[in-house]
Amino acid sequence: MMSNLTLVAPIKGWVAPLDEVPDPVFAERILGDGLAIDPTDATVHAPCDAVVASVARHAVTLRAANGAEILIHIGLETVTLHGQGFVTHVREGQSVRTGDALITFDLDFLATKAKSLISPVVVTNGDAFAIVRRSTDRETGLGEFLMELRPLAEQTVAAAGAGEATRDVVVRLAHGIHARPAAQISAAAKRFGGDVELSVRGRRVNAKSIAALMSLGVRKDEMVTITARGADAVNAVDVLADLIDHGIEEAPEAPPPPAPVPVPPADLPSNTLRGVCGAPGLVIGKALQLRATEFAVAEAGRGVTHEAAALNDALTQVRLRLDQLASGGNRQRREILSAHLALLDDPELMRQVHSAIESGKSAAFAWREAIRGYAAAFRAIDDVRMRERVGDLVDLERQVMAALCGDAGLDARSLAPDTILIADELLPSELAAVGAIAGFATAAGGPTSHVAILAAGMSVPALVSLGEKVLDIADGTTLFLDTEAALLHIEPDANRMTQARAAIARRSAGESAARAHALEECRTADGTRIEVLANLGAGADEAVAAVAAGAEGCGLLRTEFLFLDRETPPSEDEQAAAYQAIAAALNGRPFKVRTFDIGGDKPVPYLPLPAEENPALGLRGVRAALWRSDLLKTQLAAILRVTPAPRIMLPMVASLAELHAVRVMLDELGAPAATQLGVMIETPASAVLAAQLAREADFFSIGTNDLTQYTLAMDRGHAQLAAQIDAFHPAVLSLIAQAASGAAAQGKPVAVCGGLAGDPLAAALLIGLGVRELSMPAAAIARVKGTVRALTLEQCRAAATEALQQSSPQDVRAVATKYLPAGATP
């Protein structure tokens, strides 16, 4: 017989029964029986000797020698923090002793961000164990008795090969399985106890390993095979196949630009280098070479215990640094650095490192060799994007090596604001750390690398692929970095400097003038009122920033931020509070709330949609909402509680019947007669039926992104078609004109809230077609307002009339450019 297992308190705090946890998943013991601790300390420790079965930033599951599985969940609804405020000290498969540190968290941060700090400690396989003694309703210290478990019967751990399942799936992701999709697949695979593998072209790897998945170099439209073993093998392959098939949201990127046509040396001055634009801008600055530190690494270690501890300390330092860098940036920066964090916990990578340490190697040698092995595999992949991801691995190699060797790295405080960094290849963490610099120029790298994406988001001009000559530039050399021409001018002469300063001044003056008047209401030169609003997709802080940027209200609130990345739908109270906070931030300005648009490329676990050949043409938008009318009614009830009352708009409307159905729901909820209900014109059907819809809808808002892809029958996530999906296509403009005409006939306002609204080049065309409200990302507001103020209504109508007569997007753009006011930048 197995003896009873004693669990000690994993953290200091007040011990309470699960009944007091304000979450039915725990209070009703859906996950199992146990206790909860309201913590007064910030590090969770192992409550017994065990193996780490799974670890996330906010939770860890341990498996004791007798088979008991103990889940420690830090706070409630902390999964929505996406790892912010947490540092993990262990990896999956690692053995831990009682009292070993598992996870450290920021107590103050969680107190303001989490639903509650109370942390359940639950036995998840309660069918095999009974809690025979427990300590509750008292203050506990770390390591004090918590509960005692008795096995109900002899347990036999099922062998990994107890069951096996396989399934083939075609990868439809535009760029194949790169870092971010690999991270999502890995996270899903880690939910299952048995082995989960992915294979393609005769190679098979651990699906729980991000690095291994990326090393496969899986491209779009390749078929992969998922293999799982264990009691839940069938469920594992189904979950991963569904995730790969239509569960990963990937923002479309333009295909990589072609390599620059080689220019004979005689065509370029001796002091000029040609590269590729990594991020746009013009800047004059001083060169500073950033040379990679070469670390002296001893191959032999100083003992397994010493080297393992050194590695753990170094990984903890790097996690803390990446957490801090990720928390201070935009969405792209958070996603990129989060992928780096996930690689630090990669089971296959860590298995190789620990195996080398156990064979007598030093931590530094083991880490470097493991990382370089994966980097070599990536370089061998015949795919430009995957080769560019080598930089992510090199970045992690250097960061961990620096922590192991005590190197502090570049001190951002010592950099002058006019610094142009020069490097063989700048790494994402280096750019995130240095912050405000004038620009950078690299010998290698590409325009779709993570550091280029970061640079664009940080408004840091960058040239990449300049070649090794850039590494010969002396520190302090004056440079003119011109990304428009993809040229780096070294020690430019007086004439070139004059031209450069003039170009920079023109660009800056235009942007400054636009920003200076951004807070003023927008009118054309002859006085026609054009409302310029912001598209929002997060909480009240985003609304505050948009108003500060000149937004005259919110023309589109994408409510999906409340519905995604969670296991259960948001309650009416949660939604009402979120919408009210945004309304308060807008301070009486116009506020349009779009009902949830999930399904298609935005699946959620609590809305299991039926399998669809083409999800974009299936249950999406208002169709999905009417299919799950309970969720829609809850959302409508929450919106109706907001003051002042927002306007409600429905996505993906294709018929009057859909509008009628939602009207009935609003009546059932007792909506005031003045409640405004509008439709989004995103399908050709709604544009064609605009005259009918306008008789009953209170307003139109044209979503040009979806309208374009449905009109042109081109998937906007398709890499090969990305360049052809152009909202300036005459067919799209014709449908916008038809929708605007239908709205005007009934005296209903019409807005545009798609990508076209934020393009200054489109302003004259849209206004000329009858649009009087433009909603866009906050960053575009100042430029668009500046453009609109320089146009007359007569010019806009002339531009629209001429554009509708063209036969191609290129011809339409040429017309729009002709009417673009002097000084405006498209």
Side-chain angles (χ1 to χ4, degrees), residues 570-812:
S571 67
E572 179 184 327
D573 286 346
E574 180 185 351
Q575 291 187 64
Y579 304 147
Q580 186 60 61
I582 294 170
L586 293 172
N587 195 25
R589 295 175 176 85
F591 184 18
K592 287 182 184 174
V593 179
R594 182 180 74 184
T595 57
F596 65 83
D597 183 8
I598 50 183
D601 62 345
K602 297 187 278 286
V604 293
Y606 53 84
L607 186 63
L609 298 171
E612 297 176 308
E613 282 291 319
N614 190 339
L617 298 178
L619 283 170
R620 266 205 65 188
V622 73
R623 289 193 291 266
L626 291 171
W627 179 62
R628 281 297 304 270
S629 58
D630 56 326
L631 297 181
L632 179 57
K633 280 186 177 179
T634 299
Q635 183 174 39
L636 293 173
I639 296 170
L640 291 174
R641 288 167 56 180
V642 177
T643 55
R647 287 178 276 180
I648 303 169
M649 60 184 182
L650 307 176
M652 299 295 295
V653 169
S655 72
L656 198 56
E658 292 163 338
L659 181 62
H660 285 162
V662 179
R663 284 275 191 206
V664 170
M665 284 189 192
L666 287 171
D667 291 341
E668 291 173 352
L669 292 168
T675 301
Q676 293 238 317
L677 180 64
V679 299
M680 292 194 68
I681 305 295
E682 298 175 283
T683 65
S686 59
V688 171
L689 295 176
Q692 285 184 28
L693 291 169
R695 286 197 288 269
E696 301 198 30
D698 293 307
F699 60 90
F700 285 171
S701 189
I702 302 173
T704 54
N705 300 347
D706 274 326
L707 182 62
T708 300
Q709 76 164 344
Y710 290 126
T711 301
L712 303 181
M714 294 180 183
D715 181 356
R716 54 183 172 148
H718 196 296
Q720 282 70 44
L721 299 176
Q724 300 177 52
I725 302 172
D726 194 336
F728 284 87
H729 195 288
V732 179
L733 292 185
S734 294
L735 289 176
I736 294 173
Q738 195 166 346
S741 176
Q746 299 297 324
K748 303 294 175 63
V750 60
V752 171
C753 63
L756 205 59
D759 188 341
L761 191 62
L765 305 183
L766 295 175
I767 295 169
L769 291 172
V771 174
R772 294 295 179 268
E773 180 184 309
L774 302 170
S775 190
M776 64 201 68
I781 288 173
R783 283 199 309 154
V784 170
K785 280 189 172 183
T787 299
V788 171
R789 290 188 180 109
L791 294 166
T792 66
L793 191 56
E794 183 180 353
Q795 288 173 327
C796 294
R797 286 172 174 158
T801 299
E802 189 174 346
L804 289 172
Q805 297 169 359
Q806 306 308 309
S807 60
S808 72
Q810 294 76 21
D811 292 341
V812 171

Side-chain angles (χ1 to χ4, degrees), residues 284-285 478-480 491-503:
I284 296 169
T478 299
L479 302 174
F480 171 39
E491 291 287 12
D493 59 25
N495 184 48
R496 175 70 65 187
M497 286 291 283
T498 300
Q499 294 174 357
R501 291 191 180 101

Side-chain angles (χ1 to χ4, degrees), residues 10 318 361 389 441 675:
V318 175
K361 307 300 183 185
R389 296 304 176 254
T675 301

